[in-house]
């Protein structure tokens, strides 16, 4: 069973607040794998700082624990299209694998978090 919810930080276009978007909810049976689509915040945005966090849906970034992070440079895109897929999996050995796929270019990046090694 997942002890904490895991997700990524997203930025609200209007308020500019950064909040948690949960992908794997706490109490989910392990192993599990879920994906969610995201879009850019600005027109022609090319840089995306993917922060994997422990937190609950809508929780402000200051109240979340960052457990992994990667800066991605991707082709520019429009905010109207959700073109970034974040696939998150959690296995029974405490490994979290995050695959970020750009639907426009096909480029993928991986983030691996070992919760047992973090202790």
């Amino acid at each position: 069973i997942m002890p904490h919810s895991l997700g990524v930080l997203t930025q609200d276009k209007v308020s500019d607040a950064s909040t948690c978007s949960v992908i794997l909810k706490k109490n989910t049976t392990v192993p599990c794998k879920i994906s969610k689509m995201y879009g850019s915040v600005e027109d022609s945005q090319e840089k995306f700082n993917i922060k994997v966090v422990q937190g609950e849906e809508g929780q402000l970034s200051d109240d979340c624990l960052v457990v992994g992070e990667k800066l991605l440079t991707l082709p520019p895109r429009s905010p109207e299209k959700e073109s970034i897929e974040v696939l998150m999996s959690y296995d029974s050995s405490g490994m979290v694998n995050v695959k970020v796929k750009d639907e426009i270019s096909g480029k993928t990046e991986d983030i691996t978090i070992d919760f047992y090694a973090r202790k």
Side-chain angles (χ1 to χ4, degrees):
I1 300 283
M2 297 236 351
H4 304 283
S5 294
L6 295 174
V8 294
L9 290 181
T10 59
Q11 186 175 356
D12 185 271
K13 296 174 191 174
V14 177
S15 70
D16 205 35
S18 185
T19 59
C20 180
S21 172
V22 171
I23 298 174
L24 298 177
K25 295 180 182 179
K26 72 179 172 187
N27 298 325
T28 298
T29 303
V30 175
C32 55
K33 183 189 299 188
I34 298 174
S35 71
K36 213 169 181 182
M37 297 297 293
Y38 296 94
S40 61
V41 177
E42 303 168 0
D43 276 328
S44 301
Q45 184 174 339
E46 295 179 12
K47 297 207 183 281
F48 300 84
N49 191 14
I50 307 295
K51 290 185 179 183
V52 179
V53 297
Q54 280 183 0
E56 296 305 325
E57 188 69 35
Q59 192 172 18
L60 292 174
S61 61
D62 290 345
D63 298 326
C64 296
L65 174 64
V66 176
V67 294
E69 184 173 2
K70 187 167 264 192
L71 181 64
L72 308 177
T73 302
L74 301 173
R77 67 215 48 242
S78 169
E80 290 82 39
K81 185 172 191 257
E82 292 184 335
S83 59
I84 299 170
E85 178 185 27
V86 178
L87 174 67
M88 191 176 290
S89 63
Y90 193 111
D91 68 24
S92 57
S93 67
M95 296 292 290
V96 176
N97 292 298
V98 181
K99 178 176 266 187
V100 181
K101 181 180 180 190
D102 176 26
E103 297 292 320
I104 293 172
S105 69
K107 180 179 180 179
T108 62
E109 292 283 346
D110 295 309
I111 305 168
T112 302
I113 302 137
D114 184 347
F115 279 103
Y116 290 124
R118 295 175 57 91
K119 294 180 179 182

